[in-house]
């Protein structure tokens, strides 16, 4: 079974987001990067599919040179090889450009299952996986909480709203977007990190794949949101803040 | 040129966000000075179409077929492509539901159009929409412009427009039934009926006070501190999704779009960032208190009282203050 998993490198969760001087992107100096958290669940699910059914796991990313470290992490956790579509413009590319690049690279190889995360922590389109499926002419299912690939058709548990689920079956090859929390992700072992150095990484440019970087949506301004409610911020020592808060809740909001 | 709103229903019952998208659509059609069409998709949708016809709109487009009775991306995308051919909209608006996450990117890609997802607002400059959406987990907002030939597709975040602002029409809008040609073998996936894993054991909807913990609580060993605060303040303990995913609290204590929706008198959010999927489950609370060490956390956009601090400094003092003044 050939399993492809799309992993994106994003700013670390606790990094300070500061709008840059151009006003359409964030400052990247002094920022730490990590694998998009939802994609860690997709990667884990890919590794488990391989453990159950054999075959290979290929990690794919579209991003600038720094994204290589995220591919190394995927290789260290157990992916067999990686594909890096490398271009500086991919850091801020819209979902159409990114999906076109991913689909072009994956489409060159034989694939049974393609996994993505649900949403990227930075751009947050929540679309890239579904677009990849459409561009490759594959069926898809989204927000998946369980995969059974033991039969001819894939059997998936799809999350619905407010605590409901449904079973969806679909033929292979197919693309699934994975919901966070589907599994417990593994850590890379020392041995895994060592082995990763010898695993192959294939590099493409957008030109190699014949993908034009023409976006369908553009950020024209990026800014701090405005408060929609008047928030009273309480300050002082922890003790003062606690006492003020209890007083406010009792006598101002009257909820205690 | 017109605006098309795509409604969502299941088994004859509306998804409540349909009317928020309709409010956005009425706003957009006024701003753009163009007609508004509303699409309803399903099997046996006459009554639903008639209900929509009473709203202020220029046309209701009904896509009715037995194979549209349950959702599949293939059939619904085919039906909506038919609606788009008929209406020729400049802008297509959806509610940002799970179903729309599944179908709208496919629809957009299949017709070579842009889909601007999960918008929190819209502005119009020279009659063209500028979409506002969250980026970086809600820490920043972005003004986004779609390019390429129309239509441009966009989905509206829960709570961004008010369902109760939808206007009724002076007379009923005409209902236009469109033929959709569909056959079973065009539909790759097969969807079974919805089910719940376990009936909610804890019903948090009746709680007057809720103390809710997020990832700021750091490890399961710290949950008892929050439980002690809940006890001291006379409330129930709840959590954001990652806490329940990790098994630190049972799933039936999860608040948000995939958990429970609550509206207590007091919601105390400890170390919760305020992602929209959490916020939709608790923004109806009368009073919201947020304790978070990051002053830029989106939770402060909706908090009545905010404390920018380490929750581990505040929680023990709160327990003490509650005890002292009893
Ligand atoms: C389809 C879908 C459905 C979802 N459904 C839900 C749902 O039903 N419910 C839900 O909650 N989420 C849901 N999510 C997930 C949601 O998007 C967020 O990822 C999640 O709500 C984040 O949880 P959090 O705020 O606890 O964690 P984080 O976003 O990691 O935030 C932790 C916060 O704690 C603060 N913090 C850290 N340490 C401290 C400290 N010592 N003191 C004070 N503050 C501290 C940080 O500044 C940060 O703001 C869903 C997502 C998707 C895509
Ligand atoms: N640049 C990228 N490289 C690899 N995978 C990506 C990239 N962008 C998005 N993805 C995948 O698509 C999912 C959804 O991303 P998005 O549509 O940006 O919210 C992510 O969770 C990733 O699995």
């Amino acid at each position: 079974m050939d399993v492809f998993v799309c992993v994106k490198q994003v700013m670390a969760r606790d990094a300070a987001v500061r709008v840059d001087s151009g006003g359409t992107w964030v400052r990247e100096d002094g920022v730490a990067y990590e694998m998009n958290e939802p994609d860690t669940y997709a990667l884990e699910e890919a590794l488990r599919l391989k453990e159950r059914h054999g075959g290979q796991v290929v990690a794919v990313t579209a991003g600038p040179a720094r994204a290589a470290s995220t591919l190394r992490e995927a290789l260290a956790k157990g992916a067999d090889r990686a594909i890096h579509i490398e271009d500086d413009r991919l850091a801020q590319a819209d979902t159409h450009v990114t999906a076109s690049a991913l689909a072009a690279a994956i489409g060159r190889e034989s694939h049974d299952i393609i996994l993505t995360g649900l949403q990227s922590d930075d751009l947050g389109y929540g679309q890239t996986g579904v677009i990849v499926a459409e561009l490759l002419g594959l069926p898809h299912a989204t927000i998946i909480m369980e995969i059974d690939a033991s039969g001819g058709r894939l059997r998936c548990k799809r999350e619905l709203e407010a605590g409901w689920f449904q079973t969806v079956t679909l033929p292979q090859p197919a693309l699934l977007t994975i919901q966070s929390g589907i599994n417990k992700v593994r850590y890379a072992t020392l041995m895994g990190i060592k082995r990763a150095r010898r695993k192959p990484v294939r590099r493409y440019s957008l030109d190699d794949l014949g993908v034009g970087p023409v976006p369908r949506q553009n950020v024209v301004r990026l800014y701090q949101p405005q408060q929609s409610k008047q928030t009273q911020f309480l300050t002082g020592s922890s003790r003062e803040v606690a006492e003020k808060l209890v007083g406010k809740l009792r006598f101002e909001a009257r909820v205690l | 040129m017109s605006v098309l709103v795509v409604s969502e229903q299941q088994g004859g019952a509306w998804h409540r966000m349909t009317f928020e998208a309709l409010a956005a659509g009425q706003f957009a059609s006024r701003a753009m000075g163009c007609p508004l069409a509303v699409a309803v998709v399903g099997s046996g949708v006459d009554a639903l179409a008639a209900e929509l016809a009473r709203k202020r709109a220029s046309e209701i487009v009904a896509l009715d077929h037995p194979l549209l009775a349950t959702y599949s991306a293939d059939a619904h995308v085919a039906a909506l492509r038919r609606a788009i051919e008929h209406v020729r909209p400049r802008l297509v608006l959806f509610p940002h539901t799970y179903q729309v996450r599944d179908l709208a990117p496919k629809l957009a890609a299949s017709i070579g159009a842009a889909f601007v997802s999960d918008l929190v607002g819209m502005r119009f400059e020279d009659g063209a929409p500028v979409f506002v959406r969250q980026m970086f987990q809600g820490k920043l907002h972005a003004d986004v412009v779609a390019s390429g030939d129309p239509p441009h597709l966009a989905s509206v975040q829960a709570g961004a427009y008010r369902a109760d602002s939808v206007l009724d029409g002076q007379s009923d809008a005409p209902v236009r039934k469109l033929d959709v040609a569909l056959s079973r073998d065009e539909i790759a996936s097969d969807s079974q009926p919805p089910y719940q894993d376990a009936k909610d054991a804890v019903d948090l909807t009746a709680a007057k006070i809720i103390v809710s913990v997020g990832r700021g609580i750091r490890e399961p060993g710290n949950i008892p501190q929050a439980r002690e605060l809940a006890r001291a303040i006379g409330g129930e303990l709840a959590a954001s999704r990652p806490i329940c995913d990790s098994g630190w609290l049972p799933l039936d204590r999860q608040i948000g779009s995939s958990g429970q929706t609550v509206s207590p008198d007091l919601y105390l959010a400890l170390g919760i960032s305020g992602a929209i999927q959490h916020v939709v489950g608790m923004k109806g609370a009368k009073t919201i208190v947020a304790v978070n060490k990051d002053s830029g956390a989106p939770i402060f956009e909706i908090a009545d009282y905010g404390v920018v601090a380490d929750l581990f400094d505040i929680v023990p003092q709160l327990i003490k203050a509650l005890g002292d003044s009893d």
Side-chain angles (χ1 to χ4, degrees), chain A residues 5-41:
Chain A
V5 57
C6 300
V7 293
K8 182 180 190 183
Q9 187 178 63
V10 298
M11 281 169 66
R13 273 192 156 250
D14 52 4
V17 284
R18 303 156 300 173
V19 178
D20 71 7
S21 55
T24 60
W25 191 238
V26 289
R27 284 171 56 181
E28 300 204 357
D29 53 298
V31 167
Y33 288 89
E34 62 190 20
M35 188 184 296
N36 183 41
E37 193 186 34
D39 304 353
T40 64
Y41 294 99

Side-chain angles (χ1 to χ4, degrees), chain A residues 13-14 37-38 118-119 121 126 143 159-163 178-180, chain B residues 96 98 101 137 139 212-218 239-245 254-260 267 269-281 291-300 307-314:
Chain A
R13 273 192 156 250
D14 52 4
E37 193 186 34
L118 210 52
Q119 199 153 332
D121 281 349
I143 323 189
E159 182 179 301
L160 303 173
E161 280 147 35
I178 302 301
Q179 171 64 303
S180 298
Chain B
H96 191 69
Y98 276 38
R101 283 172 174 271
Q137 314 245 36
K139 287 179 194 156
S212 195
V213 295
R215 274 220 283 225
I217 199 80
R218 233 157 33 210
S240 67
R241 177 167 181 140
I243 302 301
C244 300
D245 277 346
Q254 180 184 315
I255 303 298
S257 58
S258 46
Q260 297 195 48
Y267 192 90
L270 302 172
I272 292 179
S273 62
I276 180 63
Q277 294 87 6
H278 186 80
V279 166
V280 292
V291 180
N292 196 303
K293 66 177 186 190
D294 175 7
S295 64
I299 190 77
F300 288 123
V307 179
V308 180
D310 190 323
L311 74 91
F312 297 108
D313 293 334
I314 299 295

Side-chain angles (χ1 to χ4, degrees), chain A residues 100-129:
Chain A
S100 303
L102 294 170
I106 298 170
R108 293 185 167 204
E109 307 193 31
S110 127
H111 46 268
D112 298 303
I113 299 181
I114 306 171
L115 302 180
T116 72
L118 210 52
Q119 199 153 332
S120 57
D121 281 349
D122 51 1
L123 301 175
Y125 292 115
Q127 298 190 45
T128 305

